[in-house]
Amino acid sequence: MCGIVGYVGKQQAAPIILDGLSKLEYRGYDSAGMAVFDGKYIQIQKSVGRLKVLEELTHDGRTMPGVLGIGHTRWATHGAPSDVNSHPHYNEEETIAVVHNGIIENYIPLKNKLLKKGYTFLSETDTEVVAHLLDYYYKGNPLEAITKVLHRVEGSYALGILFADHPDTLYAVRKDSPLIVGKSDEGCFIASDVPAILKYTRNVYYVENQEVACMTADSLHFYSVDEEELEKEAVTIEWDASAAEKGGYEHFMLKEMHEQSKTVTDTMSPRIKDGKIVIEELGLTDEEICNMSRIYMVACGSAYHAAMTGKYVMEGIARIPVEVDLASEFRYRDPILDDNSLVIVVSQSGETADTLAALREAQKRGCRVLGIVNVVGSSIAREADNVMYTWAGPEIAVATTKAYSAQLIALYLLSLKFADVRGKITKEELTDYMEDLKRLPQQIELLMNNKERIQRFANRYIAAKDIFFIGRGIDYAISLEASLKLKEISYIHSEAYAAGELKHGTISLIEDGTLVAAVSTQPALYKKTLSNIVEVKSRGAFVLAVTTVGNTEIEKAADYVIYIPETNPFFTDSLAIIPLQLFAYYVSVGKGCDVDKPRNLAKSVTVE
Ligand code: F6R
C-alpha cells in the first residue's frame, strides 16, 4: 500500500525522499509524488506511473531544492491512478501539503461541509479533504490545526504534512496505518517502513495511534491528541540495510526463497532449549494452556494458508480444536469466543487492516490474542496481548516466501509446546519431533539447490491458461499456498482443490494437457490421492506430483515427479512448498512478469 517518506535536516530533501521511496516500492503503488519547500514556496511534482517517472521529472530531485520535504507512492483507493489524484495534495493557497496512507472513512460528509464553506477540490481522493480541513483549522499553530483535524477524521491514516509558514518543521501523525520516525545528526525522517531510512539512521521511534511528531533539523517532539508533550524512547534497528537489498539475486523473491533455511533456523533455534520448547514470550501459564478450550487462527492470504497447516498440526499433535478464519470474515461474523479460547493472529507485516481489526474484535470480546508477527514494532505486534516473532527479517517481494516458512515453524513450535504441557506427547515423541524440525533447514537448502530442474519444468508452462493444485489434509493447505503463489505473480488462472472434492464439479474443467499439480506427502492419504491422480490423468491432465522420497509407485500414475526429503508428516509443508514456490517464480520470470511487484498488489494491505 501507499508509501510515505519525509525529511527535514541539513541535506537536500528530494534525493533522500526519492531514495527512501525506492525502498518502499515493494509495497505496491501506481503513482508517485513529492513536495519540497524551496525557501519560498512548497513545490509539488507528481505523476502516475513508476518512481522513475518522478525521478526523470525532477532530474533525480535536483530541480526541487530544499531541506524540508515529503514524498509518496500511491496505491489507488479513492479515485483512479492519475496525476491529479497522486499525492501530495495542497490546500487552495498551496501553503499546506499533505501525503496520506490509509482511508478517511468520513471524507464524504467532511467534503460536503468544506464545499459549503467554499472550498474547491481538484482530485477524487479522500486525502484532499485533510489538506482543506487543515487549512480550515489553521490559525498560525500547526499542532493545534492537526489535532483539531484528528478529532474530525475517521478511518486510518499516516500523514506527512508541510506548512509553508513553518519552513523548518516536518509534521507527521498516524492512526492504524504504519509510520515511523527516525533521527540522526543530519536531521529527522518519517517513513512507512524501516528500510526507507535505514541508510540514514538506526534510531527509530514507533509512532502510536494519534501521536503527532513535530521535527526540525535538530529537534524532535511528540504530542498527544490533546497537545500534551510525550516522552518516547528510540529503538535501535539491529538488522542491516543489506538485508533489504537484492544481494546479487535477480529478484527479491529468489533471494528470499534462498533465505528460507536461515529463516527457519532463526525462528526455531532460540525456542528449542535443553530438550524443551521454550516460548518465553507466550505469556500463558501451564494451567492456562491446559484449560484452553479452543484456538482460533485468524489471518489473510498466505498467512491464512500457514494457519490452515497450523490447524492440522495443532489438532493432530496437541489435540486442541482449532478454527481457522479469514480475518475479513472473522471480524464480521460475530464469533463465539469464551474466556478459555485463544485467538492467534498471523501476519508478516503486522499491519494488515483486516487482521488488526480481527485482533481488536477478539480483545473486545475479552479474548486473549497471541500475534505471530514478522515486523517488529508493527501495529499487530504492539496491540496483541503477546507476540511471537518470526525472525524472517525484512521481506520485500510482494509474494511472501520466507515469512510464510517462518510462520509454519512458529505454529509447529506452539503445537509442540501445547502438546507437551497438556501431556499429549511423551518426552521421546517430543525429542523426535524436535529432531525432525532441526533437519528442516538443511532439507530446504537441498531443495533450493535443485532449482534448475524446476526451472526447466516451469518453462514448459509459461503459456498455460489454467493450472490446478490438489491435495488432502496438509497437502490441501500446501496446494492453496502453491496456487496463490502461482496466480499472484504469473497471472495464470489457478485453483487449489481438496483432492476428494474434484469430482463434485471441478473435474469438468480438466482437458487434454491441463497441468494438475498433485501434492501427496501424507502417508495416511497417499493411496487416496493416487486415485485422484488417476482420475485426472484419465481425463487428459498432465500430472506433476510432489511427494516424499521413496513413494516411487507414484511414477506409474504421474507424468513428472518431484521428491521431497523425508520428515514427519506434520512438517511436510515446509519442504513441499519450496519446489512449488520455485515453480511459480520461474513461470513468472519466463513470462516476463514483474516478479517482485505484481500488478494490482500491495505488500502491506493496510486498507479493508
Ligand atoms: C501472498 C501474500 C499475501 C499476504 C496477506 C497477508 O504472497 O503475501 O497473501 O500473506 O496479504 O499479509 P500479512 O501476512 O502481512 O498480514
Side-chain angles (χ1 to χ4, degrees), residues 299-305 346-353 355 372 375 380 395 397-401 403-404 407 481 484-485 488-489 601-605:
C300 302
S302 293
Y304 169 77
H305 298 153
V346 187
S347 175
Q348 186 286 125
S349 62
E351 299 293 349
T352 301
T355 312
I372 295 182
V375 177
I380 293 176
E395 192 177 60
V398 163
T400 180
T401 51
Y404 170 81
Q407 286 162 355
E481 175 56 10
L484 177 62
K485 238 22 8 134
E488 70 179 323
I489 59 170
L601 290 180
K603 180 68 181 162
S604 175
V605 185

Side-chain angles (χ1 to χ4, degrees), residues 577-605:
I577 198 61
I578 304 293
L580 296 171
Q581 290 170 342
L582 284 166
F583 175 69
Y585 172 75
Y586 283 120
V587 171
S588 175
V589 171
K591 286 188 71 171
C593 299
D594 193 346
V595 177
D596 286 333
K597 295 185 284 267
R599 69 185 181 208
N600 304 338
L601 290 180
K603 180 68 181 162
S604 175
V605 185

Side-chain angles (χ1 to χ4, degrees), residues 468 502 506-512 514 516 536-537 539-541:
F468 292 87
L502 265 189
T506 313
I507 203 161
S508 65
L509 294 172
I510 306 294
E511 295 173 351
D512 257 357
T514 306
V516 176
V536 292
K537 273 274 333 149
R539 273 126 186 123

